[in-house]
Amino acid sequence: MDVNSHAEELASDLGVDKEEVKADLENLLEYSVPIDEAKQSVRRKHGGGGGGSSPTPDAVDVGEITTDHDGVTVTVRVLTQGTRTIRYQGDDLTIREGEIADETGVISYTAWQDFGFEPGDSLTIGNAGVREWEGEPELNLNDSTTVAIADEAVEVDREVGGDRSLVDIAAGDRGRNVEVRVLEVDEKTISGRDGETEILEGVVGDETAKLPFTDWQPRSEIEAGADLRIEDVYVREFRGVPSINLTEFSTVTPLPDPVEVAEDAPRLSVADAVGSGGMFDVEVVGNVLEVRDGSGLIERCPECGRVVQNGQCRSHGDVDGEDDLRVKAILDDGTDTVTVVLDDELTAEVYGGGLDDALAAAKDAMDKAVVADDIADSLVGRAYRVRGNLSVDDYGATLDAVEFELADDDPADHARAALAEVGE
């Protein structure tokens, strides 16, 4: 994309400096804003035409802000602030980001310079830009923005500060603090933008949940069994679930007392689990309605592990597939459905035999489908308790099972209880 030509056209139309327009465009494009939308945003910022200055921004309540606004002035309280480095126009820039609020609502912000405010401060922020970020308006604080202490303290019915339990962590959070026990940790080498990079990956837990994490600046304090307070993390979505990310600005402090970790996964109705948008460790109970195509004996690409269809891998073309076992089952608890995926070990348990047994059965019948048919005969219509990691995307909800057992209770009772709660 030729940003220069777009910037030159806009600068000519608006009568403003080309480099300023180019910087505005690149700022928006950095966050995946479509070029047409970015150009409209820049036009709004500069008043839609001639003259180089935009009108004085209106003072508005946070709850009134939409992406149709150009610049706004708000009087707010800072709820959270996180710090991290991003790559912008080939340079590493340090940004501050988090949430601010007034009595009418909450909005996220990104500050492109250090304005010196902290969580708890009451501020009047002038000429803040508005952009769309993940479908919602977000304030953009740049060198045209003014920040001053508000004349009066802003009272909000919101939690100030970033402390959160893991169950309350969501993708997109910035400036969060957690107290956790490290349950798993592995050292890995990845190919990053600056070449090979050493990182730590693993799982942390508290009494409410478990979540995956990545430490981009490997710290010696992070080891299995360590109880830690970790401050200033941001949260990405990874494989459909929230993932905690530590940066060079995160701090890690050993805790004097052990962190209690939930042994059991939270049990939810399927509807509540799917409505969460994705969970790392969750349990549901339901009846298997169907064993889907692509179950039983399958073949995987030896290069990437994807399922091979008719000898073809989507990434590597013609391959000699490697035999494997899998189950994809539809589970229903009366509130919603989810696709449950069993790996080779769990599939062997429900089938009653391993890969060699499945291959022998398929050879005897001269039909691989016999394995999936036998599995379906065993599973369909029965109630199961399933624990695993749930991802939700445009294709639906998928629960990658780590436990799959016959239920000792009736999922219909759970469905009725869940629906009763909704009705209250």
Side-chain angles (χ1 to χ4, degrees), residues 267-276 282-287 289 330-338 390 397 410-423:
R267 178 180 288 193
L268 301 179
S269 70
V270 174
D272 285 343
V274 173
S276 73
V282 66
E283 181 178 286
V284 297
V285 176
N287 291 94
L289 298 184
I330 304 298
L331 193 82
D332 187 334
D333 74 342
T335 68
D336 205 344
T337 62
V338 62
L390 176 73
D410 185 355
D413 291 340
H414 292 285
R416 284 189 287 269
L419 291 172
E421 289 182 7
V422 172

Side-chain angles (χ1 to χ4, degrees), residues 135-162:
E136 299 292 333
E138 179 178 88
L139 294 190
N140 198 31
L141 282 57
N142 51 40
D143 55 7
S144 299
T145 304
T146 61
V147 176
I149 299 297
D151 293 335
E152 297 180 1
V154 178
E155 299 297 332
V156 295
D157 186 21
R158 308 278 180 173
E159 186 174 357
V160 175

